[in-house]
Every structure is written in structure tokens, then in C-alpha cells.
Amino acid sequence: MDKFIAIVGTNSDNSTNRKLLQYMQKHYANQAEIELMEIKGLPMFNKPADKQVPAAVTDMAAKIEAADGVIISTPEYDHSAPAVLMNALEWLSFHIHPFVDKPVMIIGASYGSLGTSRAQAHLRQILDSPELRARIMPSSEFLLGHSLQAFDETGNLVDEQKTAKLDGLFADFETFVEITKRLKNAHAATAQEVRDLDWDNL
């Protein structure tokens, strides 16, 4: 059974993105082990001169490295991924590189009708950056709009079409993870390239 880390891409205590990941954790319990990862509480990234990464971040990196894949659920603020999520990714690419060749599935929930489409596109660009080098599952947007009305009192999705779409994408992600495990011929060279990046000149 695959082990996935599910990153809650917000610091809100009442986020429907957390609710969506909790639903997936329960709904796919027979297919994969999904552990939720919170990013709230991390210090603001400040490119420390001593190159010391907070212990909370190194713990996160270790879990990501050990996982078969990562699921990120992002809200959308001002047509972009939230600052708290970008802050976490900045820490997770500062002299530590857990995302190199790591399979990533991006999803998102929002109160409006667009369902974080722009934030997901923005997040894809960030994860594809030279400092992160994640493998993002292509053509796989899951956009949960009107998310305040999307769940019943037990935390399940109420829209059968949305449930079917998520089921299909999750199955595709499991396949994508298995394929990615075989795409390792350039991994050592890619990882070395990322390690060789000079943060002092970025």
C-alpha cells in the first residue's frame, strides 16, 4: 500500500481544503495510507546566513522523502497560491530537497465557482522550479468550487459527479506514482544539480 503525505496548503483552522484531504484520507483508506501535514506555525522564510533549517521543516522533509507521493490541496488568494504555502515550499527547497522527482497531485477547494484553477496553475510552476524539481501529475486538476456546501455532516462529498472525478484522478495518481518509480535514470544527476544550486546568488 502506498504512503502519501497530504499537505494542507493554508493556515486557516476551518479550511475546506483540510476537509477535502480528510475526506480523501478516509475515503481511500483501503487504497493508500494518507497522512495530513500542516504548514501553519512555520517561521517566515528569511534565507538564514547559517543555512540552518527549522527542525519542523526537516521533520516535514523527512516524511516527504519517505513517502511514495505528495498531495497538495491549495486555496486561492488573489488568483494565486497562498503565501503560507509558498513559505513552506521555500523552506523545503533551502539546502534540503525532498521534492526532487517526487510524484505530486494538486487539488484545491474554494468558496467560489472557479475552484482554485489559477492557484493550481501557479503551484505547478513553483513545484517545477529548479529548486524543487517535483514530478507533477499532468492534466489532473480537481477543482472543488462552492466548497462550503460541498460536504455533508459526516464530511463526505455530496456531489456524485465530483466524487467520481476524484476517484478517477486518485486512481490515476496511484498509476502515476508507479510509473514515476521507474523514471529514475536521471535522478542522481538531477539531485546533484539541485544540491549544486548556489542560494547566495539566487
Side-chain angles (χ1 to χ4, degrees):
M1 182 180 289
D2 284 329
K3 168 70 180 294
F4 298 144
I5 292 296
I7 297 177
V8 182
T10 177
N11 56 3
S12 170
D13 290 330
N14 300 305
S15 173
T16 52
N17 283 277
R18 182 181 295 102
K19 202 166 187 177
L20 176 57
L21 290 175
Q22 289 170 336
Y23 165 77
M24 293 178 69
Q25 185 182 46
K26 178 178 66 174
H27 187 65
Y28 301 120
N30 292 330
Q31 296 172 240
E33 181 184 346
I34 299 175
E35 178 183 348
L36 267 63
M37 178 178 285
E38 299 285 351
I39 58 174
K40 57 184 179 179
L42 294 180
M44 186 68 67
F45 179 73
N46 60 355
K47 196 177 175 183
D50 62 5
K51 301 180 181 179
Q52 291 299 304
V53 178
V57 177
T58 57
D59 289 346
M60 291 167 62
K63 288 186 176 184
I64 291 169
E65 286 180 341
D68 295 294
V70 176
I71 304 166
I72 303 177
S73 190
T74 180
E76 182 170 309
Y77 301 154
D78 300 327
H79 288 181
S80 180
V84 67
L85 178 54
M86 289 186 277
N87 182 63
L89 293 174
E90 285 165 359
W91 276 120
L92 288 164
S93 59
F94 183 67
H95 300 290
I96 53 175
H97 310 289
F99 278 101
V100 173
D101 290 335
K102 185 68 62 176
V104 177
M105 177 182 184
I106 301 173
I107 60 176
S110 73
Y111 295 171
S113 59
L114 296 180
T116 78
S117 59
R118 293 180 177 90
Q120 291 192 38
H122 182 212
L123 186 55
R124 285 177 179 274
Q125 289 183 308
I126 295 171
L127 289 166
D128 197 37
S129 68
E131 298 81 18
L132 286 160
R133 304 281 186 97
R135 292 191 185 272
I136 308 108
M137 187 167 76
S139 305
S140 59
E141 284 185 326
F142 181 74
L143 310 172
L144 186 63
H146 304 293
S147 58
L148 287 175
Q149 296 81 38
F151 301 92
D152 63 21
E153 63 279 358
T154 62
N156 292 315
L157 287 173
V158 297
D159 188 320
E160 293 182 1
Q161 186 174 351
K162 286 291 185 184
T163 302
K165 175 70 178 293
L166 187 58
D167 286 347
L169 288 176
F170 188 78
D172 285 348
F173 184 56
E174 291 182 300
T175 301
F176 180 69
V177 168
E178 292 308 308
I179 292 172
T180 302
K181 288 177 181 178
R182 299 197 295 271
L183 301 177
K184 293 293 187 180
N185 294 304
H187 177 74
T190 300
Q192 188 61 52
E193 283 181 356
V194 177
R195 287 193 296 270
D196 289 343
L197 285 172
D198 185 357
W199 265 89
D200 291 332
N201 293 321
L202 294 179

